[in-house]
Amino acid sequence: LQIQPFALAPRVRVSGVRIANADWAQAEHLATLAAADVAVSLPHLLLGRLVLPHVRLEAPHAYLERDRDGRGNWSFDDDQEPSDAPRTLPAVRSVSVQDGYAELREGDAKSFLNLDVAHDASESGLPIAASARGEWRGAAITAEARAGAVDDLLAGSRPYPLRVAAT
């Protein structure tokens, strides 16, 4: 953990994050992250709002699995009743991802999807690049996508740019 506290947007860096997986899951970890850099807006924080001007993720990897009974390895609160209380998320102004990867597996073993994600600033209108390959219920899947910036999606104030080619 590294902290740069003396700025209007102090930065926090964490490295080597690993989240354990369910006992029944195939992958060793639910998620891993080589590093994350997060800037926090101090003026907003002093007013009681959490605003993150920039979040940078290095090699975020997620391994999502659902067993034959429909349980997802991402559900941590199986014994709790769902809450109707609203959840407040921090405002994120900018996100960049380097070498992102996700894998999704369904319990029938005939469905899996591997997804690679990267941030490419050279493509200004569509900086997120993603490619997917796998099988879903026995049918082969491949896809390439370009998408707008994550902060544009979170803002929701205009149509989100997305280009997808899939077979």
Side-chain angles (χ1 to χ4, degrees):
L1 177 66
Q2 298 173 336
I3 300 175
Q4 298 173 338
F6 303 109
L8 286 177
R11 297 181 99 62
V12 176
R13 179 178 174 88
V14 295
S15 301
V17 176
R18 290 188 290 284
I19 299 173
N21 214 342
D23 293 343
W24 52 264
Q26 293 179 14
E28 182 179 0
H29 296 100
L30 168 63
T32 61
L33 178 65
D37 287 304
V38 179
V40 178
S41 171
L42 189 55
H44 285 96
L45 193 58
L46 293 173
L47 294 172
R49 290 191 55 228
L50 182 55
V51 174
L52 308 177
H54 186 72
V55 175
R56 182 173 191 270
L57 305 175
E58 298 173 17
H61 295 176
Y63 304 92
L64 305 175
E65 302 177 53
R66 189 184 317 262
D67 69 7
R68 292 183 188 277
D69 297 327
R71 289 182 305 169
N73 66 335
W74 58 86
S75 180
F76 297 106
D77 54 0
D78 289 338
D79 297 335
Q80 295 181 7
E81 291 292 321
S83 171
D84 291 333
R87 295 183 183 182
T88 303
L89 298 174
V92 179
R93 302 286 187 238
S94 171
V95 176
S96 64
V97 177
Q98 177 185 7
D99 299 323
Y101 176 81
E103 186 173 297
L104 173 63
R105 293 195 172 274
E106 281 289 327
D108 62 10
K110 293 182 181 177
S111 299
F112 68 93
L113 188 63
N114 298 329
L115 176 67
D116 293 303
V117 180
H119 185 268
D120 178 8
S122 67
E123 180 93 26
S124 62
L126 300 169
I128 297 174
S131 63
R133 64 199 168 286
E135 265 186 39
W136 203 257
R137 297 194 172 120
I141 296 173
T142 60
E144 300 289 327
R146 296 295 301 208
V150 173
D151 43 321
D152 289 341
L153 177 64
L154 296 174
S157 59
R158 59 182 176 188
Y160 182 67
L162 178 64
R163 183 175 65 219
V164 178
T167 57

